[in-house]
């Protein structure tokens, strides 16, 4: 039963994120809608990165090696998001 719920949640989230991504890239949609959806996508991505960073800090206190690995992974994600955002802004 738990596996079915996981599949349904993954499907719904994938549809929402892919749909929002397509709307943001579509020039025919109204600009305010595209901006709101882009902001929502950015906030959700940053929240995910923040949760990973928080997990890294918590694990840092318990198991040092695992905490460091998770924290480094979080920093790589932050750097990647910043580079992609700068690249996108420069291309427009």
């Amino acid at each position: 039963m738990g596996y079915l719920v996981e599949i349904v949640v993954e499907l719904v989230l994938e549809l929402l994120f892919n749909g929002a991504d397509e709307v943001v890239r579509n020039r025919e949609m109204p600009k305010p809608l595209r901006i709101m959806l882009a902001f929502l996508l950015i906030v959700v991505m940053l929240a995910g990165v923040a949760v990973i960073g928080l997990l890294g800090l918590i694990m840092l206190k318990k198991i040092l090696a695992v905490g460091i690995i998770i924290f480094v992974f979080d920093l790589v994600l932050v750097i990647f998001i910043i580079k992609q955002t700068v690249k996108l802004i420069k291309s427009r």
Side-chain angles (χ1 to χ4, degrees):
M1 185 69 168
Y3 187 68
L4 181 62
V5 172
E6 180 182 343
I7 291 174
V8 170
V9 169
E10 182 180 346
L11 179 66
V12 168
L13 288 176
E14 186 174 338
L15 288 173
L16 286 174
F17 282 116
N18 286 343
D21 185 48
E22 289 297 321
V23 169
V24 168
R25 294 176 191 270
N26 190 351
R27 298 268 183 199
E28 296 173 2
M29 299 302 277
K31 193 169 188 173
L33 177 65
R34 293 189 345 235
I35 291 172
M36 285 188 298
L37 284 175
F39 180 75
L40 179 67
L41 287 173
I42 290 169
V43 167
V44 169
M45 286 183 205
L46 289 177
V49 170
V51 167
I52 293 172
L54 183 63
L55 179 66
L57 288 176
I58 291 170
M59 291 303 293
L60 196 61
K61 295 177 183 176
K62 295 182 180 182
I63 305 171
L64 185 63
V66 174
I68 291 172
I69 291 170
I70 293 174
F71 200 71
V72 167
F73 178 69
D74 188 54
L75 289 177
V76 169
L77 282 176
V78 169
I79 291 169
F80 178 73
I81 289 173
I82 290 171
K83 284 178 69 174
Q84 289 293 67
T85 304
V86 169
K87 181 180 171 183
L88 182 66
I89 290 172
K90 283 184 179 181
S91 72
R92 295 188 182 228

